[in-house]
Amino acid sequence: MSPQVGRPTDDPKNLNTRIRLSEKDVEKLNYCTEKLGVKKAEVIRMGINKVYEELKK
């Protein structure tokens, strides 16, 4: 058995989703990652949370 890698977390990210993006969408995503200094997955999570909060209102 191999040892666990990475830091322990209360919110493990062990599910994957694949999406298709246009070149323009990728450019926007890259722009956001550069400006915010975070990974692409974090920008996507931020977008999901923003839409979710708007829908709950």
Side-chain angles (χ1 to χ4, degrees), residues 13-54:
K13 316 272 187 297
N14 55 3
L15 299 174
N16 291 309
T17 299
R18 184 176 169 169
I19 61 171
R20 293 169 51 114
L21 300 172
S22 69
E23 286 185 33
K24 195 165 197 166
D25 289 337
V26 172
E27 289 174 8
K28 290 176 185 178
L29 181 58
N30 289 336
Y31 177 83
C32 293
T33 61
E34 290 172 15
K35 288 293 184 182
L36 296 171
V38 297
K39 294 182 179 184
K40 291 177 184 178
E42 186 58 31
V43 173
I44 294 167
R45 285 187 205 102
M46 291 167 67
I48 291 168
N49 288 328
K50 186 172 185 173
V51 170
Y52 179 79
E53 290 301 322
E54 286 294 318

